Structure formats: C-alpha cells, structure tokens
Amino acid sequence: MKEEYHLLIQIPRGTYDVLPEDSEVWQKIEETARKVCALFNYKEIRTPIFESTDLFQRGVGDTTDIVQKEMYNFKDRGERSLTLRPEGTASVVRSFVEHKLFGLPNQPAKLYYIGPMFRYERPQSGRTRQFTQFGVEVLGSKDPSVDAEIIALAMTFYKTLGLKKLKLVLNSLGDPESRAAHHEALIAHFKPSIGEFCEDCRNRLEKNPLRILDCKKDHDHPLMKTAPSIIDFLTEPARDYFEKVKGILDEMGIAYELDPTLVRGLDYYNHTTFEIMGSSKGAITTLTGGGRYNGLVSELGGPETPGVGFALSIERLLLALEVENISLKSETSLDCFIAAIGEEAGRKAAVILNELRQAGLRADKDYMDRKVKAQFKQADRDRSGFVIVIGDEELQAQAAKVRNMADGSQEEVAFTELADYLKAKIN
RNA sequence: GCGAUUAUGGUGAAGUGGUUAACACACCGGAUUGUGGUUCCGGCAUGCGUGGGUUCGAUCCCCACUAAUCGCCCCA
C-alpha cells in the first residue's frame, strides 16, 4: 500500500494547489476584483489560456525574456505552434481586433480579466510557473485621465482588501521619437567606459541600454547617476501628456514617486509606465505593473488604437497580505449539527438534515460512525450554533433535543418544528 | 540557465553506523449509562524523498536523481 505513494505523480514544478482551507480567500479576492471593476464600469473578457505562439512573439516582443526563454509552447496534433499565455494583454488585444470591438458604440472598451498565466521560470518566493493575474485594459482612448483611472482602480482594489504599505512608482517612456533619442544618448553615455561594467550590461548596451539602469551589480557606478534620463528626451507632446497624468493623480490625492529608471520588461510600452510596490517577506516587490501601449493594436493588425492597462499578481498580493497581517478568512460556521445515536436515528438524521437544508439552514451531521461525545466535538470544530440530538427517546417522542452551543441551554423540539425553531433562534 | 540550503508520521520537529526512531500539536478511544470547548489516561512511522554504492550492518557515510525553500537573471 504505502509503496504506491512513491509511485504517485506529483504536482508539476512551480505549481500549487489551493486547498479548501484557502480557497475561501481566493474567492474573496476575486469577488473584490469584480466589485471594484463594477464600480469603475469595466466588463470581464475571457480569452483562451493558450494562443498562437505568434501572438506573443509579435505582441510581447521577440527580444523579451518572456518570449526568449519563458514560454510554454507546444505543437498540437495539427502541428500548430501554441503557447500557454504568459500574460494577458496580447490576448485581449487579439480578441479586440478579431471581434472588431473597435466598431462598437461603447468606446473606449474597458475590460478586465482574472486567470492563470504561465511562465517557465525557476520557482521562488512570489514566482511560480502558473500564477494568477487580475488585469485591466482600456482600448480606444488616449485621454490621460484613463491612465490615472486604472491606477486608481488598482489602488482601490488593494485598499479594499486592507493593504496599506503601497508605493506607486511612475515614469514615462515617451513616444517612439523620445525613446529613440534617449536610446542613442544612453549608448553614447556608456560606450566609452562599458568595459567597467558587468557582462550583462555589456550585452545590454546595443540591444537595450535602458536595462543597464536597472542593473543591481553596477548600481553604484558613477556613470549611473549621470546617465541621461528619459524625462529629458521626451518630446513636447509626450512631456505634456505625462504632466497631465501626474496632474490628475495629484488632484485625486494619489501619491506617487517618480522613477526615471523604471523600465518595464515588455516591448509594447510607451508613455506612462507604473508599478505598485508592496512588501513581501521583508523585501519590497512589484505587486502590479502596467502602462500605456499605443502601438500594440495596430501591431496586431487592428486600426491605430491607443491602449493602457495593468496586471497584478494574486500570489504576490497574498504575500503582501501576509506581511501586513491581514486575514480574509471569515468565521465559517454551521447553523446546526445533528448528533445521532443508533442506526435508526442515523437514518432519521439524514432525512431531517435534508429538510433543514431545504429550509435554508447550513447543516451537517457525522458520517464517521462517531460516538456522541465525538459528534459534539465535530460540531465544535465546525463552529455550529446548535446541535440536534436524536436517539431512541427522541424517535419515540418525535421530538429532538436542541442544544445551544453558546450557552449550553437545551430544549425539546418536535421534529416537524425544527427548521422553524432554528430559524427563529438564529435571527 | 546559475548558485546555496534542505528532504524523518497528518503537522512542527529531536535523533543515532547496530535489539522497541524522542517530544509536541492534531486525530481516535477511555475516565460507568446518550452531550462539546478544561483536565487525566491510552492509541497512533515494520519507517526516516527515490535509486544506487561503502559496510558484517545505514534513517544516520558517499554518489546520482527528484523535489522544496531562498538568492541571481528577469518579472506579476
């Protein structure tokens, strides 16, 4: 018998099960996300968990780590190359284009999703191979108040759940012109002394010099502080746009910190980028990442359509809740528990149990053939308000003993009156 | 992809190259008859991640594998 345990198949690496004692918390989080989205008038969109590999290569960007080494891709029986989605935005945009949602009267499209994402990575704290994102996308508006709105939405979500230690970090990557100018300036800045930097940075120089600013090893190199900031290369319209976003956040009373080195990992971002940081086991990590991606819709074959969005990880949210000592678990309780003594009483208990449930009461009984005392213990574990005792005497009298578990008082109640009696007591 | 640490029952864990693998929690049972949350007593791993090797003998030594945790890279 026991040896078979060793042969059992284990859960895949980087995945985990949400067990009954925790699923309640997940439900509460998802419920909160849906409620907040309703407040902001965002509608849910559900897209497949796998898509054409091409979608992510084009959408997320060929040079990103996600595409280069983290995708779960496979061939189906028709030799199609498919990929388990590593993020949500590409799918939403694909769906938006495919169903021509840009033609609907309700513009912009304000959408949200909650679901699993997959990245082939080494699992560690706050990082699993299957993880869950709650994300929001607004397609069709270039109004800076939309940028502010999604940030407000994310903050509202966290605050509703009770998180306090949050930090919003903001930056602008500008439009393509701003980025190109900054790109050149960075290369010019680092190139002469690139030999003093780590290997990674040397590789980054030509490919993506912006990433050098993110390097932890060379963080203290003097050239880091004097590096050209994207902010100084923003074109007039880009600068103006960023000022408007900041202005609205200011007036909303949402505090932020500017970080010109905030670079997001996906290629499609431009203009506003932001992260919401929170605590996790003493360290600070990114809870939410988002920004504007004005070129993505056309990149995926749709009409020129601006977009903004964010994605946040439920797993990291859970870590942050833990650090801040916030429990979302409710006192689950039962209205009543039936303790039966003897076989005939057991049968009667099953019938009464069903009647109580039909009457809308949360009720349960023992299924383990336990002694009365143990049945009471079980009722305690389930935090049951009342225990109904049925034995031979009660069957004779057609009336059960009903014990109030809070004060220990006990009354005799006819079988036919049980539901009404309990309902009256509970209200 | 790289590095570090770890791997004993339902859980947290102690432990030794050699007859019965501590302890605690949980669970189950009992303390006279059918009643909980306290107390007392009892039960509960033929087994120490998997596979090899060293040895007269290994849970304890060696190797490989697997997994977990943490860090790097990168990200949510």
Side-chain angles (χ1 to χ4, degrees), chain A residues 162-410:
Chain A
L163 283 185
K164 299 216 159 51
K165 297 177 196 159
L166 298 170
K167 191 172 80 176
L168 171 62
V169 183
L170 203 60
N171 190 28
S172 173
L173 300 178
D175 46 33
E177 286 169 62
S178 318
R179 287 184 76 163
H182 182 230
H183 186 101
E184 293 311 316
L186 280 173
I187 293 177
H189 178 74
F190 285 114
K191 199 161 193 174
S193 337
I194 194 65
E196 299 166 26
F197 286 77
C198 72
E199 196 190 329
D200 286 337
C201 285
R202 272 177 264 148
N203 290 329
R204 286 171 182 139
L205 183 66
E206 296 295 337
K207 255 178 17 185
N208 198 346
L210 214 48
R211 287 238 163 274
I212 296 177
L213 300 175
D214 233 7
C215 185
K216 307 214 167 42
K217 287 181 207 154
D218 296 322
H219 191 263
D220 296 325
H221 193 282
L223 282 182
M224 286 296 201
K225 288 194 186 68
T226 57
S229 168
I230 178 72
I231 295 295
D232 299 325
F233 289 83
L234 293 183
T235 58
E236 195 53 41
R239 181 187 306 276
D240 182 53
Y241 189 87
F242 194 39
E243 288 305 318
K244 282 179 177 152
V245 173
K246 287 191 289 181
I248 296 165
L249 288 172
D250 288 336
E251 289 189 53
M252 284 177 165
I254 295 175
Y256 54 85
E257 198 172 281
L258 292 176
D259 182 359
T261 67
L262 175 65
V263 179
R264 313 238 57 263
L266 283 60
D267 280 357
Y268 52 61
Y269 285 117
N270 45 49
H271 288 287
T272 319
T273 58
F274 67 93
E275 286 187 4
I276 298 172
M277 318 286 285
S279 34
S280 142
K281 290 183 183 170
I284 308 272
T285 50
T286 304
L287 258 32
T288 303
R292 189 160 269 284
Y293 46 86
N294 287 349
L296 186 58
V297 177
S298 55
E299 172 68 26
L300 292 177
E304 200 64 46
T305 307
V308 235
F310 70 71
L312 65 85
S313 150
I314 307 293
E315 284 79 1
R316 289 189 183 178
L317 164 61
L318 253 16
L319 290 173
L321 286 169
E322 197 184 321
V323 169
E324 296 203 28
N325 239 314
I326 297 163
S327 171
L328 300 178
K329 283 190 186 174
S330 67
E331 299 278 300
T332 60
S333 64
L334 220 47
D335 295 320
C336 68
F337 187 94
I338 304 180
I341 305 146
E343 204 178 307
E344 200 186 334
R347 244 174 292 135
K348 186 67 182 171
V351 175
I352 291 179
L353 183 61
N354 191 48
E355 286 167 8
L356 295 174
R357 288 168 173 167
Q358 301 308 312
L361 292 158
R362 295 172 299 172
D364 209 353
K365 72 175 188 71
D366 169 63
Y367 305 94
M368 300 302 288
D369 209 20
R370 282 189 260 251
K371 297 279 171 18
V372 190
K373 188 186 182 103
Q375 295 191 52
F376 268 82
K377 276 190 152 189
Q378 180 61 40
D380 246 352
R381 272 193 292 266
D382 286 336
R383 272 164 293 190
S384 183
F386 293 83
V387 172
I388 294 171
V389 183
I390 301 173
D392 290 340
E393 282 174 35
E394 288 76 13
L395 286 173
Q396 280 294 322
Q398 287 293 299
K401 303 279 179 351
V402 180
R403 185 181 180 85
N404 182 330
M405 295 297 274
D407 58 22
S409 65
Q410 196 160 303

